[in-house]
């Protein structure tokens, strides 16, 4: 494990130390020109091309295509030598265009068969320009917004020669203790599916190989978000019906949207590791969904089949992974070391290897790598953190923020204010605003909340700032060597108390205090699970002391998961959840605080009051005592603090006139549901109209509500719009634990339309066979 942390840490260093050889003009892809000609034609030609290549490959060269190596992997043989020997098909973590071209040149000019490499990187929410984390993009409830953010991210990543991202992460997560909840779209399979397909479109473009786009790898297949206790890497136990109805739909949506590859999951799913899981990789992915892309393992997860106590040793691990359906091995090298012998011993069929290599080569072909394997180095110089990127990142951050509370319309803040205190450990922190998985981001590019507010008021307003408290992680982070976790600077209690007092004194001297609290960048993400959801460190005390001054306090949260803000929800008049908003976060937050932008985001997760409530989600079953669902615990409410789909605005909306196109619909046909929405408040704003259904009876109990359609709209003051949502009755189908199949069961359904999962506008309809 330690090696992988080193590699990640070295990404930046390597990127800086570029090699001089790298002018594109230095390379002439002459040797591949006949192939290139052919490569311009359709699939049949692709098949012929790949088959021809396969016939000329040795077993070792084939296995080479199935091996991905990470930068700075400590090995006896250098990466250059591996390329020349045909022992590598892909690299991950390279971000330097010149080095990418240099390695590509070795592969296509000096390699025996001139097969290009594919360069992968975790482009999760932006490359150099960091966009809001995926959970935040989901909070926009706007698939077009998520698509646009990933399109821009692909543009930047492709500018340095990256061909392939390990995204989107579509793991459903209903437990905010799990740190990776920030990488996905939250708890709901319908919202998650729409976000999954939107991100695939954004990254890949209209088709694989579109210029300035990159290949996706939907991950982590499957069930990673259900880790026991929210502990990262722990086993998931998911019933068959929940797997089909909740955890698999976003993967299926991404596959249908054309994701060119898929990544396996680390953990055991029902006691079978994701990377050796024949059921998932064969029965579901290939047989049922007809996925024709290639499958890559997660980091060292092939080798780790042994660590799991699943495979007996390296060879067995390699055999189990390839036979389960893993085409490419990430960073461990048991394929390279063991597969050839395994084939010779008959443990793996030659045809299985051919199939895996065919999929990988076909994807390289479709990406156009056989025609143009290089990147123009000038792109890297002109296309990173451009003003267009910044603008798009700012809009994405504005559209992702969720206004959780706004008592007495404290927000937007009046521009006539003469003094503002901007307080908190995250108020002026450049790395933290980017969030986790910002590997190619430069903190120096980030705009903090303090900077954003200062820019908004170039003169005349006193803006003071203090950290107030420090925060730290109890355990090291895997990203520490690149983005160090915050380390306390104040060494004594007296020093800490003085800083605390300084912050509160600034609050007292100001007309309003903006407290920027939450979690530092490395406190969310991989290996960043928590056993509590409290504000880390003494942030809660700081907040309470600020409120106790009697000054109006606005709480701005920077976070990758719901945090325990139950006290704040009662005592802090305004709460804006900005998530980790990315490079332009400070400008976006300033715009939101002062009303240049109006919050319209909605929660993609149910927000618990207390960690003891998790896992908590809105789509639970009715049970035999559906009344008073908030009384399930004798020592506190079992209702969430904020429901799924919730979020306020600076304006008000009225919804009425719910209409359903027909009271009875044939299974498989659509239904149109419409409602009138009017902006009755003083400013323009966005609203997300949400449609939920409930199947009253059937072969299994169905959730009390399930999201089945939504649309985000913008309305000017006074403007009215009829929003028509199509309810596809296919979406009413489910996998029944009694019939062991998926079907739409005829019967009576409830339907609600509103602005969160507690929507009250109600109708019923029936579905006939
Ligand atoms: C993560 C993956 C990621 C890979 C490469 C793993 O630890 O689980 O999501 O794509 O590393 O960085």
């Amino acid at each position: 494990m330690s090696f992988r942390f080193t590699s990640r840490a070295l990404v930046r260093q390597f990127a800086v130390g570029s090699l001089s050889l790298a002018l594109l003009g230095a390379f002439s892809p002459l040797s591949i020109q006949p192939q290139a000609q052919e490569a311009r034609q359709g699939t049949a030609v692709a098949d012929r091309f790949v088959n021809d290549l396969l016939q000329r490959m040795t077993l070792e060269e084939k296995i080479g295509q199935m091996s991905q190596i990470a930068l700075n992997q400590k090995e006896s043989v250098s990466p250059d030598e591996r390329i020349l020997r045909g022992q590598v098909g892909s690299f991950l973590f390279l971000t330097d265009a010149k080095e990418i071209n240099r390695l590509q040149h070795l592969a296509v000019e000096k390699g025996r068969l001139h097969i290009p490499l594919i360069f992968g990187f975790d482009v999760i929410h932006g490359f150099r320009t960091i966009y809001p984390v995926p959970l935040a993009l989901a909070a926009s409830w706007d698939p077009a917004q998520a698509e646009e953010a990933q399109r821009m991210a692909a543009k930047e990543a492709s500018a340095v020669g990256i061909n392939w991202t390990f995204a989107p992460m579509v793991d459903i997560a209903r437990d905010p203790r799990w740190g990776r909840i920030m990488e996905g779209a939250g708890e709901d399979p319908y919202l998650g599916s729409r976000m999954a397909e939107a991100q695939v479109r954004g990254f890949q473009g209209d088709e694989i190989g579109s210029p300035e786009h990159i290949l996706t790898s939907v991950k982590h297949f499957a069930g990673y978000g259900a880790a026991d206790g929210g502990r990262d890497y722990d086993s998931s136990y998911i019933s068959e019906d929940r797997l089909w109805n909740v955890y698999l739909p976003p993967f299926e949506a991404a596959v249908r949207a054309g994701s060119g590859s898929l990544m396996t999951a680390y953990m055991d799913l029902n006691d079978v590791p994701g990377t050796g899981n024949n059921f998932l990789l064969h029965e579901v992915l290939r047989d049922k969904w007809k996925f024709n892309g290639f499958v890559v393992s997660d980091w060292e997860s092939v080798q780790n089949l042994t660590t799991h106590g699943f495979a007996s040793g390296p060879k067995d691990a390699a055999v189990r992974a390839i036979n389960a359906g893993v085409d490419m091995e990430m960073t461990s090298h048991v394929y390279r070391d063991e597969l050839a012998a395994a084939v010779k011993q008959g443990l793996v069929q030659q045809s299985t290897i051919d199939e895996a290599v065919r999929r990988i080569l076909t994807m390289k072909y479709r990406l156009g790598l056989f025609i143009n394997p290089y990147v123009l180095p000038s792109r890297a110089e002109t296309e990173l953190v451009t003003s267009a990127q910044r603008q798009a990142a700012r809009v994405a951050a504005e559209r992702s923020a969720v206004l959780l509370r706004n008592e007495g319309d404290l927000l937007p803040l009046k521009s006539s204010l003469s003094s503002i205190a901007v307080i908190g450990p995250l108020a002026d922190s450049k790395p933290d605003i980017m969030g986790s998985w910002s590997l190619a981001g430069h903190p120096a590019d980030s705009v903090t909340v303090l900077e954003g507010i200062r820019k908004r008021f170039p003169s005349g307003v006193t803006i003071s700032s203090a950290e107030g408290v420090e925060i730290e992680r109890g355990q090291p982070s895997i990203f520490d060597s690149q983005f160090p976790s915050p380390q306390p600077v104040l060494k004594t209690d007296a020093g800490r108390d003085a800083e605390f007092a300084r912050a509160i004194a600034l609050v007292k001297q100001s007309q309003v205090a903006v407290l920027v609290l939450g979690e530092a960048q490395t406190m969310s993400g991989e290996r960043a699970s928590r056993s509590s959801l409290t504000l880390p460190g003494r942030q809660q005390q700081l907040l309470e002391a600020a409120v106790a001054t009697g000054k109006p306090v606005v709480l701005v949260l920077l976070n990758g998961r719901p945090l325990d803000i139950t006290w704040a929800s009662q005592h802090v008049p305004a709460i804006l959840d900005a998530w980790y908003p990315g490079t332009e976060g400070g400008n976006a937050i300033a715009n939101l605080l002062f009303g240049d932008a109006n919050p319209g985001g909605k929660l993609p997760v149910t927000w618990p009051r207390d960690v003891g409530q998790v896992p908590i989600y809105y789509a639970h079953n009715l049970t035999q005592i559906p009344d008073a669902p908030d009384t399930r615990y004798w020592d506190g409410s079992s209702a969430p603090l904020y429901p799924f789909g919730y979020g306020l605005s600076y304006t008000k909306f009225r919804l009425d006139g719910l209409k359903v196109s027909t009271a009875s619909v044939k299974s498989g046909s659509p239904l149109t549901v419409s409602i009138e929405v009017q902006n009755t408040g003083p400013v323009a704003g966005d609203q997300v109209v949400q449609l939920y259904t409930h199947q009253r009876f059937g072969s299994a109990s169905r959730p009390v509500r399930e999201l089945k359609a939504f649309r985000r709209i913008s309305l000017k003051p006074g403007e009215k719009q009829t929003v028509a949502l199509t309810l596809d009755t296919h979406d009413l189908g489910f996998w029944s634990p009694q019939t062991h199949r998926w079907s739409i069961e005829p019967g009576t359904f409830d339907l609600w339309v509103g602005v969160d999962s507690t929507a009250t506008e109600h109708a019923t309809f029936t579905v006939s066979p």
Side-chain angles (χ1 to χ4, degrees), residues 538-558:
R538 291 169 75 207
Q539 294 184 95
Q540 180 68 28
Q541 284 111 295
L542 186 71
L543 184 62
E544 292 185 16
V547 170
T549 63
K551 295 287 177 168
V553 171
V554 179
L555 170 60
V556 173
L557 286 175
L558 298 191

Side-chain angles (χ1 to χ4, degrees), residues 4 8 92-93 122 166 180 219-220 263 266 298-299 330 437 526:
R4 82 185 253 237
R8 266 199 190 130
L92 80 158
F93 285 168
D122 290 279
F166 307 120
R180 302 196 79 167
K219 70 187 187 185
H220 308 85
M263 185 188 288
Y266 278 137
D298 202 344
W299 186 282
M330 182 187 281
W437 287 110
E526 187 173 344

Side-chain angles (χ1 to χ4, degrees), residues 31 37 46 84 92 212 257 293 435 505 534 569 606 626 661 718 728 730 736:
S31 49
Q37 284 240 322
L84 295 175
L92 80 158
E212 303 189 340
T534 53
S569 74
T606 302
S661 59
D728 184 343
H730 276 117
S736 166

Side-chain angles (χ1 to χ4, degrees), residues 408-721:
D409 291 336
L410 174 58
L411 291 178
L413 294 171
K414 315 284 165 287
S415 289
S416 55
L417 283 170
S418 60
S419 56
I420 308 168
V422 186
I423 305 294
L426 306 177
D428 196 27
S429 167
K430 283 177 175 284
D432 293 324
I433 203 155
M434 302 194 299
S436 188
W437 287 110
S438 313
L439 293 171
H442 291 194
D445 297 335
S446 296
V447 180
T448 67
V449 180
L450 178 64
E451 288 170 338
I453 294 178
R454 285 216 162 111
K455 265 176 60 191
R456 178 76 175 48
F457 295 101
S459 60
V461 178
T462 308
I463 298 164
S464 56
S465 182
E467 284 194 0
V469 299
E470 296 176 310
I471 52 179
E472 62 183 310
R473 265 178 68 121
Q475 307 277 347
S477 156
I478 57 168
F479 298 107
D480 271 346
S481 28
Q482 183 164 19
F483 293 117
S485 296
Q487 293 299 317
V489 174
L490 301 168
K491 299 292 176 212
T492 62
D493 283 349
R496 285 188 276 272
D497 290 348
E499 172 60 15
F500 193 101
R502 187 172 79 89
I504 298 305
L506 293 178
V507 173
K508 285 185 184 151
Q509 289 157 22
S510 305
Q511 289 175 311
V512 69
V514 174
L515 268 79
V516 189
L517 307 180
E519 293 184 328
Q521 185 194 40
T522 56
M523 291 174 171
S524 258
E526 187 173 344
R527 218 191 252 195
S529 292
R530 294 187 66 192
S531 61
S532 112
L533 298 175
T534 53
L535 291 164
R538 291 169 75 207
Q539 294 184 95
Q540 180 68 28
Q541 284 111 295
L542 186 71
L543 184 62
E544 292 185 16
V547 170
T549 63
K551 295 287 177 168
V553 171
V554 179
L555 170 60
V556 173
L557 286 175
L558 298 191
N559 53 329
R561 55 157 70 88
L563 293 168
D564 184 344
I565 52 163
T566 300
W567 183 90
S569 74
Q570 292 152 6
H571 300 97
V572 180
I575 307 175
L576 180 71
D577 190 0
W579 312 100
Y580 294 114
T583 304
E584 277 287 309
N587 288 332
I589 291 169
N591 284 348
L592 289 159
L593 291 178
F594 292 96
D596 301 331
N598 187 350
K602 303 280 180 176
L603 292 178
V605 281
T606 302
W607 197 292
R609 293 171 188 272
D610 187 284
V611 72
Q613 293 181 316
V614 305
I616 187 167
Y617 45 90
Y618 81 95
H620 55 77
N621 286 1
L622 271 168
T623 79
Q624 63 166 347
I625 40 164
D627 299 338
D630 55 334
T631 59
R632 297 296 161 95
Y633 299 120
W634 67 256
D635 62 346
S637 171
S638 41
L641 186 63
Y642 298 114
F644 174 81
Y646 171 85
L648 303 173
S649 163
Y650 297 153
T651 190
K652 300 268 175 290
F653 296 91
R654 188 173 51 229
L655 273 73
D656 53 29
L658 174 65
K659 288 200 186 86
V660 181
S661 59
T662 168
S664 174
V665 64
K666 267 182 101 56
S667 170
S669 303
L671 199 77
T672 305
V673 179
S674 64
I675 195 155
E676 281 205 347
V677 187
Q678 184 173 16
N679 179 348
T680 56
V683 291
D686 285 12
Q687 185 53 278
V688 180
V689 181
Q690 306 168 30
L691 186 159
Y692 296 86
T693 62
H694 166 65
Q695 180 176 329
R696 286 204 178 164
F697 48 82
S699 69
S701 299
R702 299 301 299 141
V704 58
R705 284 180 184 207
E706 292 179 283
L707 181 71
K708 294 297 174 193
F710 62 89
R711 173 137 11 108
R712 180 167 174 159
I713 56 164
S714 303
L715 293 179
K716 298 196 186 72
E719 194 184 352
K720 204 189 246 185
Q721 187 179 323

Side-chain angles (χ1 to χ4, degrees), residues 182-375:
M182 57 135 282
E183 287 177 57
E187 75 182 47
D188 186 69
Y190 185 82
L191 179 63
S193 298
R194 302 296 75 80
M195 289 295 160
E197 61 204 16
Q199 292 184 79
V200 170
R201 283 195 302 267
F203 282 123
Q204 291 192 163
D206 292 340
E207 58 182 352
I208 290 169
S210 299
E212 303 189 340
H213 286 78
I214 56 181
L215 193 74
T216 56
S217 191
V218 56
K219 70 187 187 185
H220 308 85
F221 200 51
Y224 190 17
D228 271 355
R231 292 177 295 271
D232 207 5
Y233 313 132
D234 268 15
S235 306
S236 296
Y237 292 94
I238 306 178
S239 67
E240 225 180 322
D241 59 327
R242 214 166 240 201
L243 195 61
W244 285 109
N245 294 326
V246 177
Y247 288 89
L248 293 181
F251 285 97
E252 186 175 5
V255 166
R256 283 193 197 289
S259 180
S261 74
L262 169 143
M263 185 188 288
T264 62
Y266 278 137
M267 77 310 136
D268 289 321
L269 172 65
N270 301 329
D271 291 337
V272 181
T275 303
N277 200 309
N278 197 61
F279 163 72
L280 285 174
L281 297 173
H282 263 293
E283 285 180 43
V284 178
L285 187 65
R286 300 279 179 206
D287 299 348
K288 220 172 164 56
W289 295 347
K290 313 284 177 225
F291 176 66
N292 62 11
F294 71 93
V295 172
V296 64
S297 78
D298 202 344
W299 186 282
E300 293 184 351
S301 69
V302 177
Q303 169 182 291
N304 284 339
L305 291 180
T306 310
T307 320
H308 273 265
F310 178 72
S312 60
K315 185 189 289 172
D316 192 31
V319 169
R320 284 177 187 243
I322 180 69
N323 285 340
V326 178
D327 303 314
M328 186 184 282
E329 178 184 17
M330 182 187 281
T331 58
S332 56
H333 36 83
V334 294
Y335 274 13
R336 196 173 70 209
D337 297 344
E338 308 287 351
L339 266 190
V343 171
K344 280 166 198 148
Q345 286 167 15
L347 298 170
V348 176
Q349 299 297 310
Q350 176 67 54
S351 59
T352 306
I353 303 279
D354 285 353
E355 225 14 75
V357 180
R358 181 176 286 115
R359 290 182 192 123
I360 294 165
L361 292 178
T362 302
M363 219 39 84
K364 288 184 174 183
Y365 182 97
R366 290 178 64 188
L367 278 169
L369 289 172
F370 285 97
I371 300 173
N372 183 9
Y374 302 117
V375 60

